[in-house]
Amino acid sequence: ILNVEQSPQSLHVQEGDSTNFTCSFPSSNFYALHWYRWETAKSPEALFVMTLNGDEKKKGRISATLNTKEGYSYLYIKGSQPEDSATYLCAFPWGQNFVFGPGTRLSVLP
Amino acid sequence: DTEVTQTPKHLVMGMTNKKSLKCEQHMGHRAMYWYKQKAKKPPELMFVYSYEKLSINESVPSRFSPECPNSSLLNLHLHALQPEDSALYLCASSQGPTGGANTIYFGEGSWLTVV
């Protein structure tokens, strides 16, 4: 069984705070790691595809890093805004499947 | 705005009904997927179609029957479902079969309630 884990399960921060959360995945047979943002009543939105050890990607106030040797990726949000409230999922390609982590539910309080 | 369109958004059906969920994408993607998501759990893969052929069936009960009429359309036919099949059903597509860096694009999902 392939385990993709995320922590914390949920997070409440104040508007303006910076925050980060973790995705852990098997370090063997690594090909890529995907991050998605899933807002309520919307479709999951692709944020990043990470492929290289040491990769750092950025999209506005959101960035992600990757360590394939130890099997983790961090997602950072700088200066959180209420519109960042969503569930953040990481996904690990496995054959033709994506194995999703359980997600981190972020609530940004105004 | 999602480029993967799913209908209906909500469906309530009895255990003896036959209904279908529909999915459409016009991105020229050649792989399409059905995922099932129960509350507070991550999406779980049900089926993968690659170049209009079923390539993965993740041990899904036969009361769920997928169909890919062409490269843009994916249906999920439902018959004799059980209340525990109530869930969000997500359709997705990718440029090619996933297995690496192909991004999967999701629809908004169809909420299914079986009564």
Side-chain angles (χ1 to χ4, degrees), chain A residues 36-47 59 61-62 81-89 104-106, chain B residues 1 37 88 90 106-109 111:
Chain A
Y36 284 83
R37 173 170 61 200
W38 196 357
E39 295 178 66
T40 303
K42 295 189 177 180
S43 56
E45 174 198 356
L47 288 175
K59 187 176 182 178
R61 294 177 290 98
I62 305 178
Q81 299 296 307
E83 58 265 30
D84 296 327
S85 297
T87 297
Y88 291 82
L89 292 165
T104 293
R105 185 186 295 270
L106 174 67
Chain B
D1 288 343
Q37 197 247 343
L88 177 68
L90 287 163
F106 287 88
E108 293 182 356
W111 285 99

Side-chain angles (χ1 to χ4, degrees), chain B residues 16-50:
Chain B
T16 58
N17 290 161
K18 283 185 183 180
K19 297 284 185 184
S20 298
L21 304 180
K22 297 185 183 300
C23 175
E24 192 167 1
Q25 58 87 13
H26 293 289
M27 296 180 279
H29 289 173
R30 302 314 300 268
M32 295 187 76
Y33 312 81
W34 281 113
Y35 281 83
K36 176 181 178 179
Q37 197 247 343
K38 300 280 277 185
K40 300 190 179 179
K41 295 277 181 74
E44 291 183 352
L45 184 68
M46 299 174 73
F47 301 105
V48 179
Y49 271 83
S50 179

